């Protein structure tokens, strides 16, 4: 390697003399990194979304290839976050493709120590039975002996991965059922 080529290979030298004084582009590239391609390059489409993890609501670009989510990055068009995501939001691809994601209902019986797998229809029937019974047994009554159509026997605590639309529907459903204790982890 000649002296000239050697000096040209220095990022700081290229940054000082070239068209990239902030070192965010060509000046920061090495021969190897110049050959790298972004992992989103082969995506078929980009869907705009919002990070579900907290109330900041950072904008996300969701990259889709062959019907599968392949990457989630910050959306530079978002006036809230301007392309940035915190470590939690940056890891939200795992929500859709992570190996730890459960695809089956897990149930732990009262006093049980192990999780049991249930099919969805069975779980839905169990929930419906309990909601009906709890409402019937748990209505509150006012001083005049009238039923108030509210019960403290049912509560809802949502996880941070529920999105705005899901939370809206959950709030409507549980309020209609008479519940007043409706919370979501993302408010913490
Ligand atoms: S969890 Fe992080 S990326 Fe997601 S909305 Fe909150 S601050 Fe933004």
């Amino acid at each position: 390697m000649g002296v000239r080529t050697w000096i040209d290979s220095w990022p700081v030298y290229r940054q000082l003399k070239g068209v990239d004084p902030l070192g965010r582009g060509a000046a920061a590239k090495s021969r190897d990194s110049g050959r790298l391609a972004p992992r989103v390059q082969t995506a078929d489409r980009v869907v705009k979304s919002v990070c579900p993890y907290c109330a900041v609501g950072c904008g996300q670009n969701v990259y889709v290839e062959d019907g599968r989510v392949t990457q989630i990055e910050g959306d530079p068009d978002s006036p809230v976050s301007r392309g940035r995501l915190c470590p939690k939001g940056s890891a939200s691809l795992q929500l859709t493709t992570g190996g730890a994601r459960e695809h089956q209902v897990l149930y732990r019986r009262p006093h049980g120590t192990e999780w049991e797998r249930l099919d969805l229809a069975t779980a839905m029937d169990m929930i419906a039975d309990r909601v009906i019974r709890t409402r019937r047994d748990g209505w509150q009554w006012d001083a005049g002996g009238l039923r108030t159509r509210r019960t403290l026997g049912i509560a809802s605590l949502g996880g941070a991965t529920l999105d705005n639309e899901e939370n809206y529907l959950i709030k409507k459903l549980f309020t209609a059922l008479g519940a007043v204790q409706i919370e979501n982890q993302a408010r913490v």
Side-chain angles (χ1 to χ4, degrees):
M1 184 186 287
V3 173
R4 183 82 206 156
T5 318
W6 179 67
I7 291 177
D8 274 343
S9 72
W10 279 15
V12 114
Y13 176 72
R14 290 201 308 264
Q15 187 175 341
L16 289 173
K17 76 154 201 181
V19 292
D20 182 22
L22 296 178
R24 292 175 172 169
K29 280 185 183 165
S30 67
R31 204 172 44 208
D32 287 340
S33 67
R35 281 197 290 266
L36 298 175
R39 72 182 86 176
V40 297
Q41 189 165 281
T42 54
D44 307 321
R45 62 200 167 98
V46 184
V47 181
K48 299 283 185 191
S49 188
V50 177
C51 175
Y53 276 129
C54 88
V56 175
C58 298
Q60 292 183 322
N61 282 340
V62 180
Y63 294 86
V64 182
E65 186 174 347
D66 295 332
R68 283 186 57 82
V69 176
T70 54
Q71 175 67 348
I72 298 177
E73 295 185 350
D75 178 5
D77 296 335
S78 166
V80 174
S81 49
R82 294 184 292 174
R84 300 172 181 90
L85 293 174
C86 78
K88 226 162 49 154
S90 301
S92 48
L93 177 65
Q94 293 171 16
L95 278 178
T96 61
T97 60
R101 179 171 179 162
E102 284 294 342
H103 295 270
Q104 215 180 342
V105 179
L106 295 178
Y107 174 63
R108 201 172 71 187
R109 292 178 188 279
H111 310 294
T113 56
E114 302 295 331
W115 292 101
E116 297 171 36
R117 294 190 179 280
L118 295 182
D119 64 88
L120 186 57
T122 303
M124 295 292 271
D125 284 344
M126 290 167 67
I127 292 168
D129 288 346
R130 288 166 197 207
V131 166
I132 291 168
R133 190 178 66 230
T134 305
R135 272 161 46 99
R136 190 181 55 225
D137 297 344
W139 289 125
Q140 291 195 305
W141 304 80
D142 71 8
L146 289 175
R147 198 174 73 183
T148 60
R149 293 191 182 277
R150 60 175 252 168
T151 173
L152 298 181
I154 304 174
S156 169
L157 178 60
T161 51
L162 295 168
D163 60 30
N164 274 352
E165 292 75 13
E166 288 165 330
N167 278 314
Y168 173 79
L169 293 173
I170 286 170
K171 168 72 175 140
K172 286 197 84 120
L173 171 66
F174 277 86
T175 300
L177 290 173
V180 291
Q181 303 153 129
I182 305 163
E183 275 294 352
N184 187 288
Q185 186 266 334
R187 289 164 51 103
V188 174

